[in-house]
Amino acid sequence: MTNETNPIDEGSEAPQTPDEGLSGDEAEHRAPPEERKPRWARWGIAAALSALAVAGLFVLVRGGDGETDVPVTKADVPHVEGKAIVFSKSFRDRAGITTEPVRLAPLVPRLKVVGTVDFDPAHVAAVGTRIPGLVRSLAKVEGDSVKKGDVLAEIESAELGEAQASVAVAGAHRKAASINEKRERDLAERGLTTAREHEVATATHEEQRALLEAARQRVVAMSGSPGSPFGVYMLRAPLEGTVVERHIFAGQSVDAHLVAFRVANLDHLWVDLSVFESNVDAIHKDDPVEITRVGGEPIPGRVAHVGEVVDPVTRTAEVRVAVSNKERKLRPGQSVTAIIQASGPSRTMLTVPMTAVTYIDGRPTVFLAESPERVVPTTIEIGPNDGTNQGVVAGLSEGQLVVSRGVFALKSELYR
């Protein structure tokens, strides 16, 4: 009996269909005519199907009636209408915008001015060379602390040497005159000389004593002293303080008009302020002042002097403030800001809260309320203030309403 075998034996390759093993173009040409379509046609069909899918998704989102289901909310912010700024009640509440009326009220000014720190003349001294000479040595330099009478420098001077020599000569003459006067007195008492000779001896003695005293005073005026070397005078500190300036060096020749040192007690300083004439009348001696340097805390002071003369160019008067500087917070020459709490008299004028005033393009401005939700930026001319209320010279009338809080929110709208 013969065994039936598979037409395809194991290990043999399966017969291929007519299209297998052909490239895409060859297969397309061998396909039946009804299945043959150009490649661009198939791509067009795919693009159309994709467009229909997107359109369907769009229809689902927009809904059947063509209107948007998601509501669009308009931002609740102020907007400008002409010169006015208009906003909603909800924005007004959210920004905390409040108004206050312009008032006519008495105002004692609180003045803010700039000034310069200076030495107190009662606690500073210049030390001059007085006579020509040569700097022998320096004992003190800038920044050194000194006591009254401390030696600052030694200066050799031929002129001082001559003055000291004249003291020695005058002393010898006085001694001789004293001996002669004593001898003539003894002779006169015994009747061995005339009264005239005794009187001449007495006058000569007094003359020599006067010349000796004058020679000694001359040496002292040159800063010489009995204990100093011959021909050397000492520059001494005239007060206790700090050496703040030095203008000489060892070996330098100096004349009689040179300021060699400046010594100051820096515990006591002045602050010189320039105040406009319209505000000077409100400032009095002993009014409290706060002095502020850049980056520093306020330093208390008191008005020590109010100037009697107004500068015709700047229209300001000088106000001097005395300040204690034991903690060395200030330095002479430093620029500071001073706030003077003037004692009056008060001035009656239009006032608004200081919080109502802002600056737009460098000019003081308030927001004048025309209605609860409508304001107009208005430029004003300001006067003095007392730290809480700002005086207004021009631009407003009594009873008008100005924005006192929420000014920044309105100002921001102008810079959008």
Side-chain angles (χ1 to χ4, degrees), residues 132-136 154-160 230-233 254:
L134 181 72
V135 179
R136 181 180 183 182
E154 295 181 353
I155 298 181
E156 297 176 344
S157 172
E159 188 174 336
L160 176 60
F230 193 81
V232 176
Y233 74 94
V254 296

Side-chain angles (χ1 to χ4, degrees), residues 203-217:
T204 301
H205 178 242
E206 292 297 329
E207 179 184 359
Q208 294 301 322
R209 185 173 64 180
L211 290 175
L212 176 60
E213 185 62 27
R216 287 174 175 171
Q217 289 298 326

Side-chain angles (χ1 to χ4, degrees), residues 176-227:
S178 177
I179 294 173
N180 185 53
E181 189 272 335
K182 183 179 180 181
R183 182 172 56 249
E184 290 294 332
R185 185 173 65 248
D186 291 341
L187 292 174
E189 289 175 354
R190 288 185 291 172
L192 299 177
T193 188
T194 63
R196 172 65 180 169
E197 290 177 343
H198 178 243
E199 290 173 356
V200 171
T202 301
T204 301
H205 178 242
E206 292 297 329
E207 179 184 359
Q208 294 301 322
R209 185 173 64 180
L211 290 175
L212 176 60
E213 185 62 27
R216 287 174 175 171
Q217 289 298 326
R218 184 186 178 197
V219 171
V220 172
M222 294 178 179
S223 297
S225 60

Side-chain angles (χ1 to χ4, degrees), residues 52-138:
L52 290 174
V54 172
L57 180 62
F58 181 75
V59 172
L60 290 175
V61 171
R62 291 188 54 88
D65 55 1
E67 295 183 358
T68 303
D69 294 334
V70 180
V72 177
T73 304
K74 187 177 180 181
D76 184 15
V77 294
H79 61 278
V80 177
E81 291 183 0
K83 295 183 178 180
I85 299 176
V86 181
F87 48 89
S88 65
K89 182 179 182 303
S90 61
F91 177 84
R92 183 188 66 188
D93 297 338
R94 188 169 65 253
I97 297 174
T98 59
T99 59
E100 291 189 30
V102 180
R103 296 184 176 88
L104 186 65
L107 184 72
V108 178
R110 183 173 182 261
L111 305 173
K112 185 175 182 180
V113 293
V114 295
T116 305
V117 181
D118 200 357
F119 297 108
D120 185 338
H123 298 277
V124 64
V127 182
T129 53
R130 299 187 182 182
I131 56 175
L134 181 72
V135 179
R136 181 180 183 182
S137 63
L138 294 175

Side-chain angles (χ1 to χ4, degrees), residues 251-273:
Q252 175 183 349
S253 296
V254 296
D255 57 25
H257 307 288
L258 176 66
V259 176
F261 293 90
R262 194 180 300 274
V263 180
N265 186 342
L266 299 179
D267 289 350
H268 307 277
L269 294 177
W270 279 358
V271 176
D272 297 324
L273 308 174

Side-chain angles (χ1 to χ4, degrees), residues 131-177:
I131 56 175
L134 181 72
V135 179
R136 181 180 183 182
S137 63
L138 294 175
K140 301 292 182 180
V141 295
E142 300 92 331
D144 288 346
S145 298
V146 296
K147 300 290 185 181
K148 183 177 181 179
D150 284 355
V151 176
L152 303 174
E154 295 181 353
I155 298 181
E156 297 176 344
S157 172
E159 188 174 336
L160 176 60
E162 293 176 0
Q164 289 173 324
S166 67
V167 171
V169 172
H173 289 171
R174 179 184 177 278
K175 185 177 181 179

